[in-house]
């Protein structure tokens, strides 16, 4: 444990608390004030930070930071309480709920921002201490696992992108959300490379592209099939790779045959000439990458959309080829690690399936319990929230590090559900919109105040070193979870000297799994500037590039094509709701904005959400730049100031989702779930827009 005080002047290498890039930064405390700078030695961001990273230190001594537990009193007011009293109240409520309604009446929601150690421990806490089936978080990825046998964000270091002749990027606007990535895309372009961006909006990323395919929202799979059709028709596929390394191609080829260019133009709105250009750029390149972001994934056809793009990568023989492959651009800080180590409802540590008998035996042995006592898969994040107070549903909920009252689709409905809980416990540093509804709020140490590992979008396990101690009297999540487990009667299995002690157990738990961390250690991470999983022994350095041996970790050893047909989103425009609504991020904010809305520089840069609309739509509705619009969907309505911009499609409105209450974009979004990943359709719904007339 380091001996730093909050007065230290030594720069400590750590990482940004926000997105999946996990930029390296150094933190210095001078006269009690923390500041950060980019860490030139960390190879992912090479010293660059975005505005969120630069201002992250403001969270540490923020005046609104919670420094004492809060307990709701008999008059319904949250008042300060001691730790013993607060923790006992949580344990008592969870325990009595389970006695009365059964074990699965208690739910646990984690977060894509928790370290691997915390995500692992929260999964263990839910399954061993609470023995509930209902633990999840708001992240998912299923396509990579199905097609390639593994889901690891990028299968290569980000730096490889600079050497790809062509990159196809669907539904990710990295220039806005993780700007340091653009150093690689800029270098790729300087090297003569081409970037093809698929997005309904002309984002900064799309503006930097060689070719922008501006598709109609929800037509990703049709577009992918159309590209595959042209690749097959024009003889641009890698037949040897398909024959030797894959299975299921014939059905996919037959399906793609019905996606001829005229039809795809009609379905997607992308001109045939652009389809042709994209297919030939991809098919004639010596190296190419197919990357998908949250755009295609956060749809009710999300898994199918991604599988359709993986089909392109397989048809071109990209996985395992030099400077080539398929990758997923994850968004949340530890969205990747969070699902690898047991925080996901259907998974156990090491990316094991919870319904796999061998995986269950392995984890039961690591945790010292009988396999029969290990719960099965329960409800996914949205289903769990929607089940609250319904017959057989959740009655008590513990939320660790997420703000579901803002980040869930149909947010006002979910807020009502949260209000109807018998008990809500929230672990957070700030009084988020979810914490405001809680019966007990437990304040917690922040990113720079504790050790822990994160897994970035490359599958690189990085180490956030504790740079300064938390404020007096603040516990970290690991201490909170362990104390709760002990209060719930688990005397063994929840005592750790440090985060590194939890990591040592995580390594054992993950050994032999797909996401095998058994050979990763804190020392190795520091010596190598991160370790790419799988890393199966102390002697190996890890696996920066996957599939180099041509073998896929599927039952047959071959990658699997999936025949995908275009299906429309759950909601399409209609006479009453004539436009598409899509949601997303801004450069200056992160997720539900619990942290970033409290940072002055960020709040000033983007003080409120604005509805982006096209100039022609503005003219048609008689809307001017200073006006507000009323957006109404089948769930709710909200008003927003407009931003008139030609970067949006004429048939689409974009609203960022970082705000709560009256300004919450998620009041409007659809809770239609992907049938496989259970991911809600955040990206598309039908909306009616009217101009707000001031009285
Ligand atoms: Fe880097 Fe993301 Fe942090 Fe910005 S928010 S500094 S891109 S990790």
């Amino acid at each position: 444990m380091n001996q730093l005080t909050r007065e230290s002047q030594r720069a400590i290498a750590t990482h940004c608390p926000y997105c999946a890039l996990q930029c390296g930064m150094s933190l210095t405390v001078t006269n009690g004030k923390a500041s950060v700078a980019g860490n030139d030695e960390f190879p992912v961001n090479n010293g660059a930070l975005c505005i969120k990273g630069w201002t992250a230190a403001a969270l540490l001594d923020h005046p609104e930071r919670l420094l004492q537990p809060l307990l709701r009193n008999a008059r319904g007011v949250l008042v300060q309480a001691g730790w013993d009293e607060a923790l006992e109240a949580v344990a008592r409520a969870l325990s009595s709920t389970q006695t009365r309604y059964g074990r699965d009446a208690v739910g646990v929601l984690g977060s894509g921002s928790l370290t691997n150690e915390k995500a692992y421990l929260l999964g263990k806490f839910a399954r061993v201490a609470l023995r509930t089936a209902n633990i999840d978080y708001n992240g998912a990825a299923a396509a990579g696992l199905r097609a390639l046998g593994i889901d690891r964000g990028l299968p290569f270091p980000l730096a490889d992108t600079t050497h790809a002749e062509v990159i196809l990027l669907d539904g990710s606007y990295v220039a806005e959300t993780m700007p340091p990535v653009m150093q690689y895309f800029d270098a790729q372009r300087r090297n003569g490379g081409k970037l093809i961006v698929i997005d309904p909006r002309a984002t900064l990323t799309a503006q930097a592209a060689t070719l922008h395919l501006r598709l109609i929202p929800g037509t990703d799979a049709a577009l992918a099939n159309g590209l595959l059709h042209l690749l097959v028709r024009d003889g641009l596929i890698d037949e040897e790779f398909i024959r030797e390394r894959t299975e299921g191609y014939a059905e996919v080829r037959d399906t793609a045959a019905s996606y001829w260019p005229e039809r795809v133009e009609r379905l997607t709105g992308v001109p045939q000439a652009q389809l042709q250009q994209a297919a030939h750029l991809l098919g004639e390149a010596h190296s190419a990458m197919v990357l998908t972001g949250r755009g295609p994934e956060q749809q009710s056809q999300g898994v199918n959309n991604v599988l359709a793009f993986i089909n392109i990568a397989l048809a071109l023989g990209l996985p395992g080829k030099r400077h080539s492959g398929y990758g997923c651009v994850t968004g949340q800080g530890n969205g990747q690690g969070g699902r690898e180590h047991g925080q996901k409802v259907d998974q156990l540590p090491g990316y094991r399936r919870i319904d796999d008998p061998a995986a269950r035996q392995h984890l039961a042995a690591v945790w010292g319990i009988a396999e029969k006592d290990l719960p099965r898969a329960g409800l996914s994040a949205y289903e769990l929230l929607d089940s609250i107070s319904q017959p057989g549903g959740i009655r008590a909920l513990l939320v660790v590090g997420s703000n579901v009252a803002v980040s869930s689709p149909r947010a006002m409905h979910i807020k009502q559900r949260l209000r109807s809980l018998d008990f809500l416990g929230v672990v957070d540093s700030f009084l988020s919109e979810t914490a405001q509804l809680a019966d007990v709020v437990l304040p917690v140490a922040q990113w720079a105040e504790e050790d822990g590992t994160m897994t970035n979008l490359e599958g690189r396990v990085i180490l956030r070193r504790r740079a300064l101690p938390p404020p007096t009297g603040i516990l970290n999540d690991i201490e909170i979870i362990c104390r709760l487990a002990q209060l719930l009667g688990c005397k063994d299995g929840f005592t750790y000297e440090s985060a590194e002690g939890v990591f040592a157990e995580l390594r054992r738990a993950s050994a032999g799994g797909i996401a095998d961390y058994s050979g990763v250690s804190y020392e190795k991470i520091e010596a190598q500037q991160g370790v790419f999983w799988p890393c199966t022994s102390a002697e190996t350095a890890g696996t920066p590039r996957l599939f180099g041996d041509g073998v896929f970790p599927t039952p047959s050893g071959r990658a699997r094509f999936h025949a995908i047909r275009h299906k429309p989103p759950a909601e399409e425009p209609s006479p009453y709701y004539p436009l598409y609504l899509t949601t997303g991020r801004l450069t200056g904010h992160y997720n539900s904005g619990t942290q970033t809305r409290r940072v002055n520089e960020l709040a000033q840069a983007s003080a409120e959400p604005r509805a982006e609309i096209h100039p022609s739509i503005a003219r048609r509705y008689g809307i001017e730049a200073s006006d507000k619009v009323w957006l109404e969907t089948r769930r709710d309505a909200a008003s927003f100031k407009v931003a008139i911009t030609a970067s949006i499609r004429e048939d689409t409105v974009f609203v960022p989702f970082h705000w709560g209450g009256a300004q919450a974009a998620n009041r409007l979004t659809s809770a239609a779930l992907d049938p496989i990943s259970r991911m809600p359709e955040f990206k598309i719904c039908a909306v009616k827009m009217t101009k707000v007339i001031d009285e």
Side-chain angles (χ1 to χ4, degrees):
M1 196 65 71
N2 74 52
Q3 299 298 311
L4 282 178
T5 70
R6 293 181 83 84
E7 303 305 317
S8 169
Q9 290 198 357
R10 193 152 57 92
I12 302 290
T14 182
H15 292 268
C16 176
Y18 300 119
C19 85
L21 202 54
Q22 283 299 295
C23 292
M25 54 171 56
S26 60
L27 187 146
T28 312
V29 183
T30 309
N31 299 326
K33 193 91 191 146
S35 60
V36 299
N39 177 1
D40 296 337
E41 287 166 22
F42 187 64
V44 178
N45 57 311
N46 298 306
L49 297 174
C50 77
I51 186 171
K52 299 187 287 294
W54 280 114
T55 55
L59 300 169
L60 296 167
D61 59 355
H62 194 283
E64 290 175 27
R65 182 166 179 186
L66 299 175
L67 298 172
Q68 231 182 308
L70 301 174
L71 207 55
R72 199 168 291 282
N73 67 14
R75 287 184 290 115
V77 179
L78 281 172
V79 294
Q80 294 190 338
W83 275 102
D84 289 346
E85 191 186 3
L87 289 167
E88 279 162 18
V90 176
R92 203 167 43 241
L94 300 183
S95 178
S96 65
T97 301
Q98 290 194 311
T99 304
R100 194 150 170 216
Y101 298 103
R103 292 195 173 277
D104 291 344
V106 169
V108 177
L109 284 177
S111 154
S113 296
L114 300 181
T115 62
N116 290 320
E117 290 80 352
K118 296 177 192 178
Y120 165 80
L121 194 60
L122 195 62
K124 178 179 176 184
F125 171 76
R127 286 158 179 144
V128 176
L130 291 171
R131 286 175 58 190
T132 176
N134 293 320
I135 171 166
D136 204 16
Y137 85 118
N138 63 342
L145 219 48
R146 290 182 165 230
L148 307 169
I150 193 167
D151 155 44
R152 196 197 81 175
L154 303 181
F156 38 67
L158 197 49
D160 280 13
T161 57
T162 60
H163 303 292
E165 271 186 34
V166 174
I167 298 173
L168 175 74
L169 177 66
D170 179 27
S172 178
Y173 38 109
V174 289
E176 287 90 338
T177 55
M178 40 181 84
V181 168
M182 291 310 283
Q183 63 188 285
Y184 295 104
F185 286 8
D186 291 345
Q188 186 243 4
R189 206 171 34 196
R190 282 197 301 277
N191 291 338
K194 306 276 194 296
L195 174 65
I196 306 167
V197 169
I198 301 172
D199 201 305
R201 297 191 299 143
T203 60
L204 290 177
T205 317
Q207 289 170 36
T210 316
L211 180 60
H212 174 203
L213 308 181
R214 204 166 181 178
L215 82 177
I216 295 169
T219 60
D220 303 71
L223 180 53
N225 284 353
L227 292 174
L228 187 58
H229 175 102
L230 292 169
L231 293 169
V232 175
R233 187 195 73 183
D234 296 349
L236 297 170
I237 59 170
D238 185 337
E239 289 183 358
E240 186 186 342
F241 180 92
I242 293 170
R243 195 172 52 247
E244 302 295 330
R245 311 268 173 84
T246 71
E247 56 196 13
Y249 173 64
E251 200 188 339
V252 169
R253 182 197 54 211
D254 293 348
T255 304
S258 62
Y259 286 82
W260 56 89
E262 296 83 352
R263 181 181 176 215
V264 173
E265 178 176 323
R266 241 183 1 262
L267 287 170
T268 66
V270 176
Q272 293 175 49
Q274 290 188 358
L275 291 169
Q276 181 81 12
Q277 190 187 352
H280 277 258
L281 281 172
L282 269 174
E284 289 164 12
H286 295 101
S287 55
M289 293 175 174
V290 175
L291 308 178
T292 57
R294 289 300 173 244
E297 241 177 53
Q298 292 184 337
Q299 299 185 24
S300 58
Q301 299 296 319
V303 173
N304 281 352
N305 287 339
V306 177
L307 286 170
F309 280 96
I310 296 177
N311 285 343
I312 294 177
L314 294 178
L316 292 171
L318 303 181
K321 188 172 160 185
R322 193 171 148 79
H323 302 146
S324 300
Y326 162 76
C328 157
V329 183
T330 55
Q332 299 189 79
N334 201 26
Q336 185 69 41
R339 62 176 169 269
E340 290 167 3
H341 297 298
Q343 193 185 201
K344 192 91 200 108
V345 67
D346 55 355
Q347 283 166 10
L348 292 171
Y351 230 139
R352 292 177 159 94
R353 291 186 59 93
I354 204 165
D355 58 2
D356 172 1
R360 295 175 62 82
Q361 287 290 353
H362 173 76
L363 260 298
V366 173
W367 288 343
I369 60 171
E371 183 273 333
K372 67 174 175 43
D373 291 336
L374 197 53
R376 302 270 161 186
L379 299 168
S380 69
Y382 181 80
E383 291 167 306
L384 188 157
L385 288 165
D386 196 32
S387 82
I388 289 171
S389 306
Q390 304 304 296
I394 298 294
R395 310 286 309 205
L397 180 65
L398 183 65
V399 179
V400 182
S402 62
N403 187 8
V404 290
V406 174
S407 62
S408 303
R410 257 182 113 191
M412 289 304 111
H413 166 73
I414 292 303
K415 217 165 165 181
Q416 287 302 336
R417 289 279 199 257
L418 291 170
R419 282 202 181 97
S420 69
L421 279 163
D422 294 347
F423 175 81
L424 173 61
V426 171
V427 182
D428 209 319
S429 300
F430 295 98
L431 199 62
S432 68
E433 285 80 356
T434 308
Q436 287 168 28
L437 304 173
D439 298 288
V440 178
V441 184
L442 303 173
V444 73
Q446 288 193 32
W447 55 286
E449 299 165 349
E450 55 188 353
D451 290 332
T453 61
M454 306 279 280
T455 304
N456 82 348
L457 57 79
E458 306 166 285
R460 183 195 301 253
V461 187
I462 55 103
L463 178 60
R464 270 194 203 155
R465 274 290 184 201
R466 180 170 120 137
L468 73 171
T472 308
I474 291 291
L475 303 183
N476 63 44
D477 297 87
I478 291 175
E479 291 167 324
I480 290 170
I481 294 168
C482 288
R483 284 186 62 177
L484 284 176
Q486 284 154 14
L487 286 168
L488 288 164
C490 281
K491 299 296 175 209
D492 302 320
F494 287 91
T495 46
Y496 301 92
E497 292 274 300
S498 61
E500 196 168 2
V502 179
F503 192 71
E505 188 179 297
L506 179 160
R507 291 168 60 184
R508 286 205 311 283
S510 74
I514 294 172
D516 189 329
Y517 281 37
S518 58
V520 184
S521 65
Y522 280 17
E523 293 73 32
K524 196 186 278 187
I525 295 173
E526 287 191 314
Q528 298 181 184
Q529 294 283 19
V531 177
F532 291 85
W533 70 262
C535 180
T536 55
S537 72
E539 292 71 39
T540 53
T543 317
R545 294 174 186 84
L546 299 173
F547 317 126
D549 57 2
V551 178
F552 294 87
T554 57
S556 64
R558 289 167 172 260
R560 171 130 204 97
F561 280 97
H562 288 78
I564 304 298
R565 291 188 184 282
H566 163 70
K567 287 191 195 149
E571 280 180 33
E572 287 196 291
S574 63
Y576 190 79
Y577 300 103
L579 299 168
Y580 289 101
L581 173 69
T582 188
T583 63
R585 297 182 181 196
L586 298 176
T587 303
H589 286 289
Y590 180 70
N591 282 10
S592 73
T594 303
Q595 296 156 298
T596 51
R597 277 186 275 131
R598 290 181 161 84
V599 176
N600 275 341
E601 291 92 328
L602 303 180
Q604 279 165 18
S606 310
E608 60 186 346
R610 285 181 178 258
E612 292 184 12
I613 58 172
H614 192 273
S616 70
I617 287 290
R619 274 195 301 279
R620 195 187 318 158
Y621 283 73
I623 294 165
E624 295 183 5
S626 57
D627 285 337
K628 273 183 151 185
V629 290
W630 186 247
L631 297 182
E632 179 191 345
T633 68
R634 288 182 173 84
R635 291 149 293 282
D636 205 342
S639 67
F640 300 92
K641 282 190 188 159
V642 295
I644 299 174
T645 167
S647 69
I648 188 91
R649 286 180 58 92
E650 296 184 11
D651 55 7
T652 304
V653 181
F654 170 84
V655 182
F657 56 53
H658 307 293
W659 284 266
Q663 298 181 308
N666 277 325
R667 297 173 78 109
L668 308 174
T669 48
S670 163
L673 302 181
D674 180 281
I676 300 165
S677 70
R678 317 307 288 166
M679 172 70 80
E681 191 155 59
F682 288 106
K683 292 296 177 195
I684 308 164
C685 64
V687 67
K688 176 183 180 182
M689 181 172 74
T690 44
K691 179 176 165 178
V692 173
I693 310 285
D694 286 333
E695 310 232 318

